[in-house]
Amino acid sequence: GTSDKTVAARLAQSRLIASVPSGGGGYGRSANIGPDGSFRVGGLGAGLVNFQVISAQRMDEALQITRVERDGVVQQPGLQLKEREQVSGVRLVIVTGSATVTGTFKLENGPAPPGTRFMVRLEKPGERPFNLRPNEIDARGHFVINNVAPGTYDVVVIGYVPQSRTRPPMARQSITVTEGAVTNVELSLDLNAPPVPQPTP
């Protein structure tokens, strides 16, 4: 619904990637995005479809897919495909933003096991994560997430421990982002705390 010509131009220069990690052909299938926003993707297996918008160089963080609809009905947690199913009436709702989220992260009852990586992502309460490629937190505990649209989010930090069979340790904090502003957040993660329950979409 935007009239911003720069957003329309960015979309016209991007491609849509669809993949079904749990189905046959789990690698991404790409499709051109038409001038009217239309697309067609083929060759997907059965399962839950992940959609991403990418530019010529990398995923376009400024174009965030926030909702998937089918015939006007929101698909939660996403579009589910059956084997050899032909689907039409799919609508992807994309938002764009210019806000920035910065933050610092510290460990309690650490240090973490060698090789542990800490990643940060934004989630909309009640919705599935939209930035499927989270940002890595640097060695100083700092992170930056650019091109965020206005709204209320959960900032989620996840620790990936090598060869661990338990649920990764996680910290979560709610923030409100305004257009063009920088929002700073401080999070801590107790490695000995019980797992944080996942919110239900």
Side-chain angles (χ1 to χ4, degrees):
T2 181
S3 59
D4 189 335
K5 293 183 179 180
T6 61
V7 174
R10 182 185 293 121
L11 187 62
Q13 296 169 3
S14 302
R15 291 178 64 81
L16 182 71
I17 301 294
S19 61
V20 182
S22 61
Y27 49 88
R29 303 280 186 172
S30 66
N32 292 322
I33 301 174
D36 59 351
S38 61
F39 62 89
R40 183 184 186 280
V41 183
L44 296 173
L48 187 66
V49 184
N50 286 333
F51 292 103
Q52 300 171 343
V53 176
I54 63 169
S55 65
Q57 289 77 30
R58 53 169 297 176
M59 182 186 298
D60 195 332
E61 295 176 340
L63 297 174
Q64 303 164 3
I65 299 174
T66 60
R67 192 166 75 247
V68 180
E69 299 177 0
R70 181 177 181 181
D71 296 326
V73 178
V74 176
Q75 304 295 294
Q76 288 286 13
L79 180 64
Q80 189 77 38
L81 285 183
K82 299 177 182 179
E83 191 68 35
R84 299 184 181 277
E85 184 180 16
Q86 303 295 314
V87 176
S88 61
V90 176
R91 181 172 182 257
L92 306 179
V93 179
I94 297 176
V95 298
T96 181
S98 60
T100 300
V101 176
T102 65
T104 55
F105 165 74
K106 65 178 181 179
L107 278 176
E108 298 178 0
N109 296 319
T116 301
R117 299 175 63 199
F118 292 97
M119 311 294 288
V120 60
R121 72 186 183 200
L122 297 181
E123 296 182 4
K124 276 280 193 180
E127 299 180 10
R128 62 188 306 221
F130 60 82
N131 54 336
L132 299 179
R133 188 175 67 182
N135 297 43
E136 186 166 8
I137 298 174
D138 67 21
R140 301 174 300 163
H142 296 174
F143 61 86
V144 177
I145 304 175
N146 294 311
N147 301 316
V148 180
T152 299
Y153 300 89
D154 284 349
V155 183
V156 181
V157 171
I158 306 173
Y160 293 96
V161 182
Q163 300 179 346
S164 174
R165 296 184 178 180
T166 61
R167 176 177 290 180
M170 180 182 299
R172 180 184 299 267
Q173 183 171 322
S174 178
I175 62 170
T176 299
V177 174
T178 56
E179 184 67 28
V182 177
T183 302
N184 187 65
V185 61
E186 296 181 2
L187 296 102
S188 60
L189 177 60
D190 187 344
L191 293 177
N192 296 327
V196 177
Q198 294 283 357
T200 302

